[in-house]
């Protein structure tokens, strides 16, 4: 972390993030606050949200738009009830939405009953917020958990139909794995059709300051589909890179340069806005006079004896600077330094979780007696090694699909393979000219990871996690976002021992591989089959559809479904059953994925 000591960073953070309005004054465990000041004047333009449920508590959130522009504070009340009509109120209270927290309100409701649904709303003097529905975690035993997994919601890219779809589902929880917002300006990433869609980014510039990030959150939270999803289900959120800047690591980001000011200042502004606007519980609650910074977001949610959910921070806790493929090409000869690349990938000093998070993870895995151990985290853990020619974009997938078998034929002919047919020999003769020495060298090169910002770029760090899971004899299920495509992989350690599975969601709206590879919808199926056949351990992928994943979990199995929306560019949508996918993980073969046709 350049120029800022760890100590100064934390102290600056305490100042910056202390505005999070979870205070003893706002702990909703008592009765009504009759002696408090009268309720203020304001509207609820950004909906309500709940998150981080525990067995007896849950975080409730809203934001007030003051009626008078000069107001610095608006008194609000909240009510929590067992029924939607609010005839059976279990707790209520009041507090101030203050300008220092961008008029956001966060309340940690306590003393609730485990495994119970609640309805909640906020009130000003003249208005009530929309009603939200939330729930607490089961305490001891549980037979079932139904959750949705989403990530990568890019406002200018298209409509948030995915949020509308999950709002309508029967679910216990929603896991949002990051890229809840994007930091780019009005002409930035995925904004080509934003004007036409009426979804141009606010503010117009890239986000740097606290005001910038707040304005962007306010825009995203003005979206009715996102408001509907938050009101329907409690969320467990973690940030990925775009909540700060593209490809963030501990001390910098790809999308941050020296001319853009101190990275740590930007990071603190981004984190502060995140804690203001998302229904996440700070590491410890404090009164407003005793400010405490949540210095990390890795945390545990125990769904009875069924699932131990461990939300990880692979972004801001300890991540070493990502490696970059171009750095391993010799600038004079063009030769690729495979030894250097694999040496760096397997360098155990390059952290992704860091020692503090690893210690916590190890003991959380070792002490849990739940049937399933779930890691809710940002980036793909599965080994996504592609042929060198494809990973370095020196050959397209169709060209590779033609040339690799041709090279095999040539090798067989050279060994005088007697099983070669006349047709094969004729085909070889007609096409041999394509196998130039350069092409043959490319085809013979070892496979390399296609994305070094994912766990693939931190092989030693990944191995530490997989060994912790093995030692704990865990039935390991990793869920991931980040790539904007759906994936399912069987995870093995460096020795090839099966350890668990990874289930990864597509994006809410950010474009995926179809854009990077220029694949048309007609070619999706072929591309998917091609990539699945090239990557060991990969069992499924989706190339070009926006969607979400739901997991229906019992002690016997996990039923994973990927569902996709017909369009994010049209204001109406349907779910597309032909593109959906279903896979199961059985508890007794928990490192294997089985496709289910239904
Ligand atoms: Fe993303």
């Amino acid at each position: 972390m350049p120029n800022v000591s760890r100590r100064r960073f934390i102290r600056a953070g305490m100042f910056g993030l202390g505005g999070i309005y979870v205070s003893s004054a706002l702990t909703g465990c008592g009765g009504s606050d009759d002696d408090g000041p009268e309720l203020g004047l304001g509207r609820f333009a950004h909906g309500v949200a709940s998150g981080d449920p525990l067995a007896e508590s849950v975080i409730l959130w809203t934001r007030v738009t003051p009626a008078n522009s000069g107001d610095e504070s608006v008194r609000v009340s909240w009510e929590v009830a067992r029924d939607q009509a609010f005839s059976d109120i279990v707790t209520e209270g009041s507090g101030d939405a203050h300008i220092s927290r961008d008029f956001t309100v966060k309340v940690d409701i306590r003393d609730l009953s485990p495994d119970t649904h609640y309805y909640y709303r906020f009130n000003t003097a003249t208005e009530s917020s929309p009603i939200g529905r939330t729930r607490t975690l089961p305490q001891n035993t549980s037979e079932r958990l139904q959750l949705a997994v989403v990530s990568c919601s890019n406002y200018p890219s298209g409509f948030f139909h995915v949020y509308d779809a999950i709002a309508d589902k029967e679910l216990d929880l929603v896991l949002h794995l990051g890229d809840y917002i994007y930091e780019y300006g009005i002409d930035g990433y995925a904004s080509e059709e934003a004007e036409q869609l009426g979804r141009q980014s606010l503010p117009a510039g890239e986000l740097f300051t606290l005001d910038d990030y707040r304005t962007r959150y306010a825009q995203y939270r003005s979206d009715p589909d996102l408001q509907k999803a938050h009101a329907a289900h409690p969320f467990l959120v973690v940030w990925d890179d775009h909540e700060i800047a593209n490809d963030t690591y501990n001390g910098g980001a790809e999308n941050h340069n020296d001319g853009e000011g101190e990275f740590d200042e930007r990071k603190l502004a981004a984190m502060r806005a995140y804690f203001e606007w998302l229904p996440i519980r700070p590491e410890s609650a404090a009164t407003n006079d005793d400010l405490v910074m949540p210095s990390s977001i890795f945390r545990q949610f125990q769904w009875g004896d069924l699932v131990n959910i461990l939300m990880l921070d692979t972004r801001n806790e300890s991540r070493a600077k990502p490696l970059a493929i171009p750095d391993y090409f010799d600038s004079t000869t063009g030769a690729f330094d495979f030894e250097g690349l694999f040496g760096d990938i397997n360098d155990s000093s390059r952290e992704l979780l860091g020692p503090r998070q690893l210690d916590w993870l190890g003991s959380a895995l070792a002490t849990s007696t739940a049937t399933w151990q779930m890691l809710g985290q940002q980036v793909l853990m599965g080994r996504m090694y592609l042929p060198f020619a494809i990973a370095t974009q020196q050959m397209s997938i169709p060209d590779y699909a033609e040339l690799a078998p041709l090279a095999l034929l040539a090798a067989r002919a050279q060994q005088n393979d007697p099983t070669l047919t006349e047709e094969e020999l004729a085909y070889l003769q007609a096409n041999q000219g394509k196998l130039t020495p350069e092409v043959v060298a490319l085809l013979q090169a070892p496979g390399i990871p296609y994305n070094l910002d994912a766990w693939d770029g931190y092989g030693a760090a990944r191995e530490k996690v997989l060994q912790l899971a093995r030692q704990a004899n865990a039935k390991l299920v990793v869920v991931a976002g980040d790539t904007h495509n759906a994936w399912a992989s069987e995870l093995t350690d460096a020795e090839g021992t099966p350890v668990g599975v990874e289930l990864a969601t597509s994006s809410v709206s950010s474009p995926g591989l179809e854009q990077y590879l220029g694949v048309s919808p007609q070619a999706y199926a072929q591309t998917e089959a091609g990539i699945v056949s090239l990557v060991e351990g990969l069992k499924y992928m989706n190339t070009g559809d926006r969607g979400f994943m739901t997991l229906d979990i019992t002690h016997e199995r996990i039923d994973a479904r990927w569902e996709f929306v017909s369009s994010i560019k049209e204001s109406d949508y349907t779910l597309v059953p032909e593109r959906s996918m279903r896979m199961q993980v059985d508890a007794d073969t928990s490192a294997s994925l089985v496709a289910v046709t239904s």
Side-chain angles (χ1 to χ4, degrees):
M1 195 176 292
N3 305 325
V4 181
S5 70
R6 171 96 184 146
R7 186 176 172 79
R8 204 192 118 198
F9 176 78
I10 291 171
R11 291 183 66 185
M14 287 169 75
F15 177 76
L17 293 178
I20 302 155
Y21 206 24
V22 176
S23 69
S24 53
L26 275 189
T27 301
C29 56
S32 62
D33 186 0
D34 292 334
D35 298 331
E38 286 190 4
L39 297 182
L41 296 171
R43 296 181 300 117
F44 298 96
H46 299 94
V48 295
S50 72
D52 282 13
L54 300 173
E56 295 179 352
S57 61
V58 66
I59 294 284
L60 303 184
W61 180 97
T62 194
R63 183 184 189 260
V64 179
T65 305
N68 305 309
S69 58
D71 286 352
E72 295 202 338
S73 173
V74 179
R75 191 79 172 172
V76 299
S77 68
W78 60 85
E79 302 163 277
V80 180
R82 289 184 192 276
D83 63 323
Q84 199 164 3
F86 288 82
S87 58
D88 183 9
I89 289 181
V90 295
T91 184
E92 56 193 336
S94 64
D96 293 328
H98 198 265
I99 194 169
S100 62
R101 294 172 296 277
D102 200 18
F103 297 100
T104 58
V105 177
K106 207 185 264 190
V107 192
D108 196 352
I109 303 290
R110 308 274 173 86
D111 297 339
L112 298 171
S113 302
D115 206 13
T116 304
H117 283 98
Y118 293 96
Y119 295 86
Y120 62 95
R121 68 183 171 202
F122 294 84
N123 307 293
T124 58
T126 52
E127 291 205 26
S128 289
S129 72
I131 294 170
R133 183 173 185 259
T134 192
R135 61 161 303 147
T136 49
L137 303 186
Q139 199 156 35
N140 300 313
T141 61
S142 176
E143 296 304 317
R144 192 178 186 192
L145 166 62
Q146 291 176 279
L147 58 82
V149 183
V150 292
S151 78
C152 297
S153 34
N154 185 302
Y155 188 87
S157 181
F159 294 105
F160 284 170
H161 297 320
V162 166
Y163 284 137
D164 178 72
I166 62 167
D168 292 338
K169 294 263 173 197
E170 187 68 37
L171 296 170
D172 299 301
L173 292 173
V174 174
L175 270 56
H176 198 302
L177 300 180
D179 288 0
Y180 186 96
I181 60 161
Y182 282 75
E183 84 279 15
Y184 299 103
I186 202 163
D187 295 323
Y189 170 69
S191 300
E192 297 80 7
E193 293 168 69
E195 187 174 5
Q196 192 185 323
L197 297 171
R199 294 176 75 86
Q200 284 187 295
S201 289
L202 288 174
E206 189 176 325
L207 311 183
F208 297 108
T209 67
L210 178 58
D211 268 356
D212 293 341
Y213 284 99
R214 283 172 165 176
T215 304
R216 187 63 54 86
Y217 278 107
Q219 177 179 40
Y220 276 57
R221 278 294 184 78
S222 69
D223 185 280
D225 295 321
L226 179 51
Q227 288 189 15
K228 187 175 163 187
H230 273 301
H233 312 295
F235 275 48
L236 305 181
V237 299
V238 283
W239 51 44
D240 196 12
D241 52 337
H242 289 285
E243 282 86 352
I244 300 171
N246 184 48
D247 287 358
T248 297
Y249 54 94
N250 191 10
E254 179 276 330
N255 188 26
H256 185 89
N257 59 55
D258 291 344
E260 294 173 329
E262 279 241 11
F263 178 71
D264 291 325
E265 300 294 326
R266 181 180 189 178
K267 181 171 170 174
L268 280 176
M271 286 177 163
R272 177 169 171 177
Y274 184 87
F275 274 94
E276 285 174 350
W277 279 83
L278 289 175
I280 178 174
R281 180 179 283 106
E283 206 166 34
S284 54
T287 67
N288 289 327
D289 298 328
D290 181 18
L291 305 176
V292 171
M293 173 203 174
S295 51
S296 57
I297 59 165
F298 58 84
R299 57 210 198 281
Q300 180 176 24
F301 300 92
Q302 300 183 69
W303 191 269
D305 60 351
L306 183 59
V307 192
N308 188 28
I309 305 173
L310 300 159
M311 303 298 285
L312 306 186
D313 182 357
T314 64
R315 254 327 143 185
N316 290 310
E317 172 74 11
S318 274
R319 172 184 280 255
K321 187 175 181 177
L323 306 173
I325 297 286
D327 294 347
Y328 296 90
F329 282 102
D330 186 298
S331 57
T332 321
T333 64
F336 192 83
D337 181 8
F338 288 96
E339 210 175 304
L341 173 66
F342 291 120
D344 288 343
I345 287 173
N346 295 313
D347 175 354
S348 63
S349 72
R350 294 185 64 253
E351 301 279 3
L352 198 61
L353 297 184
R356 195 168 64 125
Q357 189 171 192
L358 263 180
D359 279 357
W360 165 85
L361 178 62
S363 81
L365 289 170
T367 54
S368 171
T369 54
T371 297
W372 302 96
Q373 303 298 319
M374 178 178 289
L375 306 186
Q377 55 89 51
Q378 297 81 5
V379 289
L380 278 190
M381 191 178 278
R383 210 172 276 108
M384 296 290 300
Y385 278 49
L386 289 175
F388 179 74
I390 296 173
T392 54
Q393 297 180 331
Q394 297 183 72
M395 208 179 273
S396 69
I397 293 176
D399 283 350
Y400 183 87
E402 182 197 348
L403 293 170
L406 189 64
L408 266 181
L409 275 184
R412 286 168 64 200
Q414 206 168 26
Q415 291 161 5
N416 296 317
D417 181 347
T419 64
L420 274 172
T421 65
E422 274 183 30
E423 287 81 8
E424 285 173 329
L425 282 169
Y427 176 73
L428 179 61
Q429 217 156 31
N431 291 284
Q432 203 147 23
K434 295 176 182 173
L435 294 175
T436 63
E438 292 78 21
V439 164
V440 171
L442 264 182
L443 291 171
Q444 287 174 345
I448 60 169
Y450 94 98
N451 181 5
L452 294 170
D453 187 61
W455 285 89
D456 263 345
Y458 303 82
R462 170 170 58 199
E463 195 60 17
K464 287 178 198 167
V465 171
L466 294 175
Q467 292 312 323
L468 286 177
R470 276 193 69 187
Q471 285 157 22
N473 209 12
K475 296 186 194 307
L476 181 72
V477 183
V478 177
V479 293
D482 182 60
T483 66
H484 310 168
N485 293 96
W487 310 87
S489 297
E490 292 173 350
L491 298 172
T492 53
D493 69 6
E495 247 104 66
T497 311
V499 183
V501 297
E502 178 171 58
L503 308 167
T505 184
S506 181
S507 62
V508 172
S509 61
S510 296
L513 271 184
E514 80 287 0
Q515 193 179 75
Y516 303 122
L517 299 177
V519 184
S520 68
Q522 294 74 32
Y524 285 175
Q526 195 189 2
T527 306
E528 288 157 8
I531 293 177
V532 169
S533 73
L534 288 171
V535 179
E536 216 184 314
L538 181 65
K539 298 296 168 187
Y540 162 65
M541 78 150 301
N542 175 286
T543 310
D545 296 298
R546 309 284 73 83
F548 59 98
M549 182 170 79
T550 52
L551 305 180
D552 189 349
I553 306 172
T554 63
H555 289 284
E556 289 72 41
R557 71 181 54 85
I558 295 179
D559 195 334
R561 286 171 193 258
W562 289 264
E563 295 188 70
F564 302 100
V565 296
S566 53
S567 170
I568 56 163
K569 308 293 186 188
E570 309 282 335
S571 56
D572 293 326
Y573 79 100
T574 55
L575 292 175
V576 187
E578 308 88 81
R579 296 292 299 158
S580 71
M581 179 67 185
R582 188 174 165 207
M583 295 191 114
Q584 282 186 350
V585 186
D586 283 338
D588 49 7
T589 53
S590 61
S592 305
L593 283 159
V594 181
V596 179
T597 46
S598 63

